[in-house]
Amino acid sequence: MRHLISGAAGFIGSHLCDRLIQEGHEVVALDNFITGSLENVAHLKGHARFRLEECNVAAGFSAAGVFDQVWHLASLASPKHYLAHPIETLETGSTATRNMLEVARRDGARFLVTSTSECYGDPLEHPQVETYWGNVNPVGLRSCYDESKRYAEAMTMAYSRAHGVRTNIARIFNTYGPRMALDDGRVVPAFLDQALRGQPLTVFGDGSQTRSFCYVSDMVDGLMRLSRSEERLPVNLGNPLELTILEFAQRISRLAGRELKVTHEPLPSDDPRKRQPDISKARRLLGWEPKVNLEDGLRETIAYFKALAEGSGRHKSPALSSPR
Ligand code: UDP
């Protein structure tokens, strides 16, 4: 099959490219590198079935030839990035979604958009089930991300209903793994970077807010399964293991094999208090659930960051243990 992927040089996008190439597909990869990195797909350069095009999918782009599957993964997914680029974030969720849907309509292709657990906002129901409509501040600092993803879902449903495009909506919960950018501000790279440097872990607020972390290979597996399903309504993909951020800091400390200090910084505005996916629907419809436990996933991620650091000479005396 011929696949078109936006955000292909991003963290999840690049792993999806790997998987599709491994399975024998042809991939046209789009990225404007606002947060994606050429290095994430450098190993695919020159592959006969892989082509990378630098372009902004919110503006015009060619998408020449006929595609069987269109994936819209482009997104500024880290709070640090979307707070710094709110208008680009809104455009990527809105105009870019429509542009990618138009390619799917043109070619009669299947379409999958990666939405987010942020659609639930600061949820009043716990854990979050797909039928919960959410509690989103429409004008807060995070609204550029949350509302554009909600729009992306609405536009995707509209193309499904009005044009009969075969669509899927994945609501992705916190995901981590190799190829996250160390400085992208999210809690996993932030804590691992701090641990590698032997610095205190910066816990925002009192650390009682919760998150659930899914390893990237599990996420890509969920996306692949969803893309083959007939389900048009949103499906949660994430790991149901819920931890407070303080507990998460303790897990990092344990992996480091020593007590890492914690410092507290102010809680960002509209930071959701709780987040845990209910994945019953994905289990039932896709036969999917995460397989990689947190310790193993973190070890792989640490190994990646350590290798990067050794390449750049950044972390001279790594404090964390290598994977088994
Ligand atoms: N967080 C933290 N320290 C950091 C970065 C994040 O305590 O250095 C917290 C953040 O306030 C949030 C959680 O960790 O409650 C997850 O944040 P992240 O930016 O990874 O993603 P989010 O789930 O908020 O989109």
Side-chain angles (χ1 to χ4, degrees), residues 1-5 16-17 19-29 47-51 53 64-71:
M1 276 170 56
R2 194 155 182 265
H3 294 255
L4 182 70
I5 308 180
L16 178 65
C17 289
R19 174 79 184 259
L20 292 171
I21 291 292
Q22 271 161 24
E23 292 193 1
H25 300 283
E26 183 182 341
V27 172
V28 175
H47 193 289
R49 285 183 279 104
F50 181 80
R51 195 169 86 236
E53 287 177 19
V66 177
F67 293 94
D68 301 296
Q69 169 87 48
V70 174
W71 306 79

Side-chain angles (χ1 to χ4, degrees), residues 58-306:
F61 60 101
S62 73
V66 177
F67 293 94
D68 301 296
Q69 169 87 48
V70 174
W71 306 79
H72 183 40
L73 272 68
S75 180
L76 292 102
S78 161
K80 174 178 156 186
H81 291 137
Y82 60 71
L83 296 177
H85 302 281
I87 295 169
E88 290 86 347
T89 303
L90 279 156
E91 286 285 290
T92 313
S94 58
T95 314
T97 304
R98 175 121 196 238
N99 290 346
M100 295 298 281
L101 277 160
E102 268 303 314
V103 177
R105 173 161 100 115
R106 180 195 74 186
D107 293 352
R110 303 154 87 114
F111 176 88
L112 184 146
V113 64
T114 47
S115 183
T116 170
S117 53
E118 284 281 335
C119 286
Y120 302 117
D122 191 11
L124 304 177
E125 284 186 16
H126 194 72
Q128 290 77 55
V129 188
E130 290 87 346
T131 46
Y132 175 51
W133 290 353
N135 177 39
V136 171
N137 176 349
V139 292
L141 287 175
R142 284 184 177 240
S143 65
C144 57
Y145 187 66
D146 303 8
E147 293 294 8
S148 68
K149 288 291 195 181
R150 287 165 69 101
Y151 175 97
E153 291 194 2
M155 186 58 91
T156 301
M157 291 308 298
Y159 265 67
S160 168
R161 292 179 178 126
H163 297 310
V165 176
R166 222 193 124 285
T167 56
N168 302 114
I169 298 171
R171 282 197 186 137
I172 292 186
F173 284 65
N174 295 65
T175 304
Y176 71 99
R179 301 189 193 151
M180 289 189 101
L182 251 191
D183 61 354
D184 99 347
R186 280 179 284 188
V187 71
V188 175
F191 281 5
L192 293 184
D193 188 33
Q194 289 154 357
L196 283 162
R197 291 162 174 271
Q199 290 174 349
L201 308 180
T202 52
V203 169
F204 297 167
D206 63 5
S208 62
Q209 71 272 32
T210 68
R211 293 294 186 274
S212 312
F213 299 100
C214 183
Y215 190 63
V216 65
S217 59
D218 283 328
M219 183 54 63
V220 168
D221 189 45
L223 292 172
M224 293 292 290
R225 285 170 187 248
L226 179 59
S227 75
R228 294 181 195 123
S229 93
E230 294 305 318
E231 179 60 21
R232 304 213 178 181
L233 291 168
V235 178
N236 287 340
L237 294 177
N239 192 316
L241 174 73
E242 181 187 18
L243 296 172
T244 68
I245 293 302
L246 216 45
E247 285 165 347
F248 183 60
Q250 285 155 4
R251 298 270 186 131
I252 301 281
S253 244
R254 220 181 298 151
L255 272 179
R258 64 197 173 89
E259 197 59 38
L260 295 166
K261 283 207 180 71
V262 161
T263 53
H264 290 270
E265 293 189 3
L267 191 67
S269 97
D270 292 332
D271 196 289
R273 298 287 317 147
K274 281 176 167 227
R275 187 181 290 156
Q276 181 192 29
D278 180 316
I279 60 163
S280 319
K281 188 173 177 182
R283 279 197 176 106
R284 191 176 69 249
L285 290 184
L286 314 177
W288 175 86
E289 63 182 3
K291 301 223 164 5
V292 180
N293 75 40
L294 188 62
E295 272 65 35
D296 290 344
L298 286 173
R299 283 199 183 90
E300 291 293 330
T301 313
I302 290 162
Y304 168 80
F305 285 143
K306 276 177 76 173

